[in-house]
Amino acid sequence: MVPNTPPGCVTRFAPSPTGLLHLGHAHAALFAHRAARQAGGRFLLRIEDIDTTRSRPAFAEALVEDLSWLGLDWDGVPRIQSGHFPQYRRTLDTLAGSGLLYPCFCTRGDIAAAVAAQHGTPAHLYPGTCRKLPRSQAEARIAAGLPYALRLDVARAAALTGPLGFTDLLHGPRRCTPEAQGDVVLARKDIPASYHLCVTHDDAAQGVTLVTRGADLLEATDVHRLLQALMGWPEPLYAHHALIAGPDGKRLAKRDQAPTLRALRESGVSAAEVRAMAGFGGCP
Ligand code: GLU
């Protein structure tokens, strides 16, 4: 199930410490580990804890322990994203310097109302309200202390880079359509960064050459390729694996109370059995 991977490739597992790991995480971690080790490459661990409202140090400690119990070893010390906000700021400054970011003051309610008023705008797409805001008005709102996010002007960015694509070892060659996701947030109102920004920055900073993750993030990769092209960062290979499903056939998720690795372990299930349940029988 793990495809052939290039010799010496560098992969990573990048969980967010917002809960205990479940079998879906075990699958993702084992997949990334196997992808690196079968090719004599390196496997890295990254703790994606920029969401300081939801992340907990206790979950970060627990995931390190659970992964070790599962039999996984990683190269070097784990990277902790919350220690790198100044680096993410520098990337934002570079993009802002190219005129690709704009402040967005919209609340969720504002966005829902604007989407409802604009027939034909898909509900998940930002309707572009603040992109059209005159600069003087935006500056006045910032001076007045209104909270704002920073959004990427995706159409302008895509016009700069031209067409983009990537190679996925499981899905084949893909053409990117980042505009399908609208002007994504690169810095949140409450947190001076976002998932798209940090994950792409760190994959480049850590020299990740093969990004493995769940197929639910295939579309996110279109945005990441755009950021890589804008910043001059290397293009990694990708492998978006299938998500493992629970007994009801639905993907496992923390919010559905999927059994955690810890609960399985405490109920007497062995690490080898958990690896097999996560689709990786035998040695890690
Ligand atoms: N922190 C992200 C998650 O837990 C990582 C996704 C990725 O590998 O890009 O979903």
Side-chain angles (χ1 to χ4, degrees):
M1 111 186 26
V2 176
N4 282 334
T5 45
C9 62
V10 181
T11 70
R12 59 22 172 216
F13 176 54
S16 302
T18 56
L20 292 169
L21 298 185
H22 55 64
L23 278 177
H25 294 111
H27 179 76
L30 288 159
F31 188 102
H33 185 264
R34 175 80 55 91
R37 295 290 186 242
Q38 72 182 8
R42 302 175 67 226
F43 170 68
L44 311 178
L45 176 61
R46 183 164 75 226
I47 313 282
E48 301 212 325
D49 62 345
I50 55 156
D51 188 343
T52 42
T53 62
R54 295 172 59 226
S55 298
R56 298 280 174 273
F59 289 134
E61 279 165 35
L63 75 86
V64 165
E65 198 188 299
D66 288 349
L67 292 174
S68 303
W69 172 76
L70 204 53
L72 293 180
D73 57 337
W74 46 88
D75 294 288
V77 286
R79 181 180 173 97
I80 315 286
Q81 283 194 325
S82 59
H84 297 277
F85 280 113
Q87 292 175 19
Y88 307 137
R89 178 74 250 170
R90 282 199 285 281
T91 303
L92 290 170
D93 289 344
T94 302
L95 296 169
S98 308
L100 295 172
L101 302 186
Y102 62 88
C104 173
F105 305 89
C106 292
T107 61
R108 277 182 198 188
D110 296 335
I111 296 174
V115 167
Q118 276 180 19
H119 292 294
T121 305
H124 68 282
L125 275 192
Y126 178 64
T129 319
C130 289
R131 190 178 54 235
K132 300 165 209 147
L133 200 64
R135 202 192 177 115
S136 57
Q137 274 190 40
E139 282 168 2
R141 289 187 192 186
I142 292 172
L146 280 188
Y148 60 94
L150 289 174
R151 287 186 183 271
L152 180 68
D153 185 334
V154 171
R156 186 179 281 204
L160 264 184
T161 64
L164 295 168
F166 63 91
T167 302
D168 188 297
L169 297 179
L170 295 164
H171 299 262
R174 308 252 320 171
R175 248 176 11 93
C176 296
T177 53
E179 59 283 359
Q181 288 168 74
D183 291 350
V184 290
V185 169
L186 294 189
R188 287 168 40 166
K189 277 185 182 172
D190 54 344
I191 295 159
S194 75
Y195 160 68
H196 290 308
L197 176 78
C198 301
V199 81
T200 316
H201 175 283
D202 285 1
D203 285 337
Q206 293 189 281
V208 172
T209 60
L210 172 62
V211 173
T212 71
R213 58 184 170 210
D216 56 330
L217 288 167
L218 251 178
E219 278 76 34
T221 299
D222 292 0
V223 175
H224 302 174
R225 286 289 301 117
L226 185 58
L227 291 174
Q228 287 157 2
L230 292 170
M231 294 301 298
W233 292 332
E235 176 189 345
L237 276 171
Y238 289 87
H240 291 88
H241 54 75
L243 300 169
I244 62 170
D248 57 357
K250 287 201 199 126
R251 70 171 277 209
L252 292 173
K254 277 178 222 168
R255 59 182 170 277
D256 304 329
Q257 261 88 54
T260 64
L261 302 189
R262 196 147 288 223
L264 291 166
R265 172 180 163 189
E266 280 164 7
S267 70
V269 183
S270 72
E273 284 164 335
V274 170
R275 288 198 297 270
M277 288 163 84
F280 286 85
C283 297

